[in-house]
Amino acid sequence: GNAASRNHVFGASARQAVEESRAKIARLIGASEPGEIIFTSGATESNNLALKGLSEMYRDRGNHIITSVIEHKSVLDTCKFLETVGFRVTYLPVNREGLINLEALRRAITEKTILISIMHANNEIGVIQPVTEIGKIARERNVFFHCDAVQAAGKVPLNVQAMNMDLVSLSAHKMYGPKGIGALYVRRRNPRVRLAPLIHGGGHEQGLRSGTLNVAGIVGFGRAAEIAASEMASEANRLFHLREKLREGILSQLPHVSVNGSLAN
């Protein structure tokens, strides 16, 4: 059934399945309510909606965005596009371990800055950025904080309230869910975040993402989030020991080897 068709039992049951999954994903990331989860086709769309949607909505407030040089292409290419339509973007460098410098972030913020977009866990070197500290800086300076948490959600603890995240991109297939389904967390209060939609027509997902919902994908996403939440601690421990076995085996047998990333983070 079509989850937007509420006048027959097939649509109603589909709608119920969607809302149950929305609640599971909200719980995984510590959202205050399920309605803050907006379903998309994947993290690429979520990143586009977060950056373009917020930039368009708050254009009269400022035109400056801060990101890092090691973001996913769906963030970097979106920033490049925004530069062609009048926005200014600061690309923060990273150190040898792949971490941004928090003081450099503070210095980069201006009165025209409307958004900081820094990923949680990097998709190539696995480094985890100091997102809690970034969120605190953003809140102190009255700047929105978007986090691409695709590689972190379901693998390390993530709480959007404690970390002061205003927008968070998620993808099902990074936690063993189906491909072609993602989500964007959009904060509703303290502060409320408003976005201009990328896709119009029908008013689905609170008008932020029109289009018939992918019910099967959403249900799979919800189940993956549920499993990830229950197995996160044990799975992290298992993967840590596998990582160390691989690292120690390589380092003990091959010369001139270095690790890209941060073993501590």
Side-chain angles (χ1 to χ4, degrees):
N2 186 336
S5 300
R6 306 184 187 187
N7 58 344
H8 51 72
V9 67
F10 306 106
S13 61
R15 182 74 179 183
Q16 181 179 349
V18 165
E19 295 310 316
E20 287 174 359
S21 292
R22 202 187 302 272
K24 291 173 183 176
I25 297 162
R27 283 194 294 271
L28 178 67
I29 66 170
S32 62
E33 56 185 284
E36 293 179 314
I37 303 298
I38 304 299
F39 289 115
T40 67
S41 63
T44 291
E45 184 185 339
S46 294
N47 284 337
N48 272 262
L49 177 57
L51 272 67
K52 293 177 183 175
L54 188 133
S55 297
E56 180 65 27
M57 184 60 70
Y58 294 93
R59 181 186 282 268
D60 59 348
R61 188 167 123 182
N63 69 339
H64 182 226
I65 298 165
I66 300 172
T67 188
S68 85
V69 295
I70 63 167
E71 297 299 306
H72 189 270
K73 277 286 189 181
S74 58
V75 168
L76 292 175
D77 285 355
T78 300
C79 286
K80 294 294 184 185
F81 164 77
L82 289 170
E83 287 182 297
T84 68
V85 292
F87 288 88
R88 189 170 66 85
V89 181
T90 297
Y91 299 91
L92 296 175
V94 295
N95 63 17
R96 288 179 61 87
E97 293 190 329
L99 294 162
I100 69 163
N101 182 291
L102 293 176
E103 286 306 313
L105 172 62
R106 286 191 177 93
R107 290 194 300 269
I109 298 172
T110 74
E111 61 181 16
K112 293 292 186 179
T113 305
I114 56 174
L115 178 67
I116 297 169
S117 180
I118 302 290
M119 61 169 40
H120 193 166
N122 185 267
N123 50 298
E124 293 184 7
I125 59 174
V127 65
I128 295 174
Q129 298 292 344
V131 289
T132 300
E133 291 82 356
I134 294 169
K136 183 178 180 183
I137 292 169
R139 189 57 47 87
E140 289 171 352
R141 299 294 295 272
N142 195 30
V143 175
F144 292 114
F145 176 31
H146 165 250
C147 184
D148 176 349
V150 167
Q151 297 287 359
K155 299 169 190 173
V156 295
L158 173 61
N159 188 301
V160 296
Q161 302 299 328
M163 296 172 174
N164 290 317
M165 294 174 176
D166 300 308
L167 295 157
V168 177
S169 299
L170 305 167
S171 178
H173 77 270
K174 297 300 183 182
M175 58 180 82
Y176 301 104
K179 289 173 278 292
I181 183 70
L184 179 66
Y185 160 78
V186 183
R187 181 182 287 275
R188 278 189 168 182
R189 58 177 67 92
N190 301 320
R192 180 191 175 197
V193 181
R194 299 171 63 223
L195 301 175
L198 300 183
I199 302 172
H200 297 85
H204 305 76
E205 294 300 276
Q206 303 167 47
L208 292 180
R209 204 278 181 181
S210 290
T212 301
L213 291 177
N214 175 3
V215 176
I218 289 168
V219 170
F221 192 176
R223 181 63 179 139
E226 189 175 38
I227 295 170
S230 66
E231 297 183 357
M232 188 186 304
S234 60
E235 182 70 357
N237 185 59
R238 184 181 76 85
L239 290 175
F240 172 77
H241 285 94
L242 286 173
R243 187 198 81 177
E244 287 301 283
K245 182 179 180 180
L246 177 65
R247 184 178 68 86
E248 291 168 3
I250 291 173
L251 290 175
S252 67
Q253 297 181 53
L254 294 173
H256 314 301
V257 174
S258 62
V259 176
N260 287 317
S262 169
L263 293 177
N265 298 285

